[in-house]
Structures are given as C-alpha cells and as structure tokens.
Amino acid sequence: MPTSAPIVSANAATLVGRRPEVGADRLVADLVPPPRFDQVRFSSYLPNPAEPSQTAARDRLQAFAATVGAAPKKSGGLFRKKAPATGAIGVYLDGGFGVGKTHLLASLWHESPAPREKKAYGTFVEYTSLVGALGFNAAVERLSDFALVCIDEFELDDPGDTVLVSTLLTRLSDRGVKLAATSNTLPDKLGEGRFAAADFLREIQALSARFEVIRVDGPDYRHRDLPTPPAPVAEDVVLRTADELPGATLDSFDGLTHELAAVHPSRYGALIDGVSAVGLTGVRPLDDQNVALRLVVLIDRLYDRKVPVVASGTPLGDLFTPELLRGGYRKKYLRAVSRITALARDGAALALAHDPAHA
C-alpha cells in the first residue's frame, strides 16, 4: 500500500494534503486558454513544410473563426468530411500528439471576432466537471450563452460520458453555438478498445455527425530536432531544488499518485495554483490503469500552466508499462509522456542551476 506521507523539506510545500475547493463560478470563469496558450495566434503557428495538412488546417480554422457569432445556417448534419468553407457549425481537429492542434484551437478562440466573454475554452474533463457541478440542464443554459465552445483533448472514457457529451453538444449546436474540438481519435472511433462501443453506436454516430473533420498530420514538435530526453535528476538535487526555489513543491511519487485518488480531477488545476515547479522523488513505472489515468490529467494541467517537473527515479519516458501502452488508452499515455518529457527538460535546467557540482 503506497504511503501518502510527503517528504519533509525545510522550505518546499507539498501537493499531498491539499484539498482545493472549486465552485461552479470558477469552473465557468476558468473556461479560457491556459497560460501556455494565452499568447498563441494563427500567425505564430509554424506548419511543418513536409506536412501540408498543417497549413491546410490553419487556413481552414482561420476561415471558421470568421463565422463565429454569425447567424447559424441550416444544414443536414454536423461531423462531415466535406463541408462548405463557412457553413459547418463544428470543426474537429484529428491527429497525433504534438502536431499543434491545441495551438490551433487556442488561436481560434483568440482570433474569433466574438467578445471574450462569449467564448469558452476547456478540456474535455473541465466540461464534464462543469456538468457535474451545475447539473446537465443548468450547464446547457450557461454554455448556450457562448458563441463558441472549444473542447481540447476530446475523449470518451466511459459509456456515460458518451451519452452525456453527445447530448450536450447536440443541445448547444441546436441553439447555434459553434463547436471546435481536438482529439487523437477520429470521432467515429471514440471509445474504441475501451468499452462496448457497439452498444453505444447510435450516440457515437450522432456525435460524429456534429463536426467537419480536419486532419493534422506530422511528428511530435515537442521532440523535433531536440536531444534525447533528460536523465532523471539525483534525489538530493531534487530536494535542494525544491527547497531553494520559491513556490516549488516536493513529494514522493507514490505519495502523490496515491493522493490524486482523493482529489477530483476537476480540481487538479486548483491543486497546482501558485506552484512554480514540482519536485518528485522515486518515480516508477505505473501498471494500474486508474492511477495512470489520474496522473495523465495532472500532467495535462502541469503542461497547460508551464510548470517544470524535477524528478528522480525511473526516466519520465518510462512512466507507463508496456501493458498499458498496448491498451485502449495508448494515445492518451503517449501524449502524457510527450508533455511530461517537455516539462522534464525545463526541470533539468532548474536542477542544474541548483546542483553544486555544476556551479
């Protein structure tokens, strides 16, 4: 049984033991692009010259942005492979991790002409959390006030979410709300390999009918032309870095992963409010699906907020066992590895500054 006791440090705070309260008003107020994407625009998106789909996706989203706030046009269905340049009520960016889908989605939010208060941007988890906090009908009413609803990392992890999100988006689109989403999975393949998708085929197909699919191909830009991922940091350097860096936290890996079970994923963003860096000792591979999926959500929130990770133990690229990587959540785990590896590079730079051996 893993212990939840944090490592005691002279100065560093811990994530273990925090119990952030997040009300419905904050959940709505937080529906804006996170700090990592608060300055991105279409002009700052750099398409890979070898991947023409990236340029095409940027251009298509720029055209779609111009339709936000316009009077809705009647159409026969929304997830079409081919749609008029300005007629689709929903766009769905499909592609691998690290191809810039979130950059494009945030750019759409920033550059759409609708007022800031009429645009919502959040992850799939944040929207399901909002429904849980407000209730379905109240969530529909609140979100119907927006001209644009952007959903990053669209994922259906259980049958209940399939029905919930399909119905939510149908209600919003029927009220003329423009929809935009990113995912690593084509809409008609959502849930595949995770639950009996055939039993929910009608809901999945109804959801699929709500968007025009835009494919974005290419390699992971986070590792393009970069050196090998950083090696784990020595434990004494992790402790020293967390001690000396204002706003840093320090926890054992087992303690933190055990603690995440006591905090709802909708609160993981609040969990790291004010945190400048996360120190972890004793990182090891995870083989429990529930533990691993909770960690994925935390990694996403750390990445959104540009919080470096300084860690000892197993290399962060080996966080998930081969058995997990062969399962239905493979793409989600690979995205998490990509993101935490980027954060580990930032963390390694911090650790180097606090390592006397390199002074």
Side-chain angles (χ1 to χ4, degrees):
M1 179 76 175
T3 177
S4 60
I7 295 174
V8 177
S9 170
N11 300 310
T14 64
L15 294 178
V16 168
R18 296 187 179 194
R19 292 293 187 275
E21 294 296 327
V22 181
D25 287 341
R26 172 167 176 174
L27 290 174
V28 175
D30 282 351
L31 292 177
V32 296
R36 182 176 291 275
F37 300 101
D38 60 4
Q39 298 298 319
V40 301
R41 299 293 187 273
F42 288 123
S43 61
S44 62
Y45 180 72
L46 302 177
N48 186 337
E51 301 292 344
S53 66
Q54 295 185 8
T55 300
R58 180 200 60 195
D59 294 347
R60 177 67 191 91
L61 255 66
Q62 281 185 297
F64 183 79
T67 72
V68 173
K73 298 180 180 180
K74 294 182 179 180
S75 60
L78 300 178
F79 257 131
R80 296 181 302 283
K81 291 290 184 179
K82 296 180 180 179
T86 60
I89 200 167
V91 290
Y92 184 103
L93 297 180
D94 168 65
F97 47 88
V99 295
K101 301 188 303 296
T102 300
H103 184 133
L104 288 171
L105 187 69
S107 298
L108 169 65
W109 188 94
H110 286 297
E111 297 202 30
S112 296
R116 180 184 180 91
E117 64 273 13
K118 291 295 184 180
K119 298 182 286 190
Y121 181 105
T123 63
F124 180 82
V125 170
E126 287 171 319
Y127 285 108
T128 55
S129 298
L130 181 66
V131 174
L134 295 177
F136 182 81
N137 290 331
V140 170
E141 291 303 317
R142 292 288 288 268
L143 292 174
S144 293
D145 287 337
F146 292 95
L148 173 68
V149 168
C150 297
I151 309 169
D152 195 26
E153 299 302 344
F154 198 103
E155 222 18 290
L156 299 181
D157 292 342
D158 61 62
D161 282 347
T162 303
V163 178
L164 175 71
V165 175
S166 175
T167 307
L168 175 66
L169 296 186
T170 298
R171 297 281 181 85
L172 294 178
S173 63
D174 286 346
R175 297 191 182 196
V177 179
K178 296 281 186 173
L179 307 172
T182 73
S183 181
N184 299 320
T185 306
L186 283 168
D188 60 350
K189 300 297 184 183
L190 290 167
E192 190 172 67
R194 296 169 205 166
F195 53 82
D199 295 339
F200 298 89
L201 186 59
R202 183 173 61 183
E203 285 79 5
I204 293 172
Q205 288 177 337
L207 184 61
S208 177
R210 294 280 154 181
F211 294 85
E212 170 196 355
V213 177
I214 302 171
R215 179 71 187 176
V216 189
D217 297 306
D220 187 346
Y221 79 91
R222 283 182 284 266
H223 307 307
R224 193 189 304 160
D225 301 323
L226 289 175
T228 303
V233 176
E235 184 167 323
D236 63 317
V237 178
V238 176
L239 270 64
R240 186 179 299 109
T241 303
D243 272 346
E244 297 177 357
L245 185 65
T249 60
L250 177 63
D251 294 276
S252 69
F253 183 73
D254 278 349
L256 179 60
T257 55
H258 181 61
E259 182 75 2
L260 290 179
V263 181
H264 192 275
S266 65
R267 301 179 180 180
Y268 287 4
L271 183 72
I272 57 174
D273 279 350
V275 173
S276 63
V278 166
L280 292 174
T281 61
V283 172
R284 63 177 181 82
L286 292 175
D287 56 8
D288 184 294
Q289 188 98 275
N290 292 325
V291 175
L293 289 174
R294 286 192 290 267
L295 184 63
V296 166
V297 177
L298 179 64
I299 290 170
D300 285 342
R301 301 292 79 77
L302 292 169
Y303 183 78
D304 286 345
R305 290 158 175 76
K306 300 188 285 189
V307 179
V309 175
V310 187
S312 68
T314 296
L316 292 171
D318 298 328
L319 265 180
F320 307 109
T321 61
E323 289 75 18
L324 288 183
L325 291 177
R326 286 195 293 267
Y329 296 99
R330 171 181 170 80
K331 290 181 179 179
K332 182 173 285 192
Y333 292 138
L334 291 176
R335 185 191 77 232
V337 167
S338 170
R339 289 182 164 186
I340 200 169
T341 298
L343 296 177
R345 290 196 185 96
D346 298 335
L350 285 177
L352 189 63
H354 292 272
D355 187 353
H358 294 86

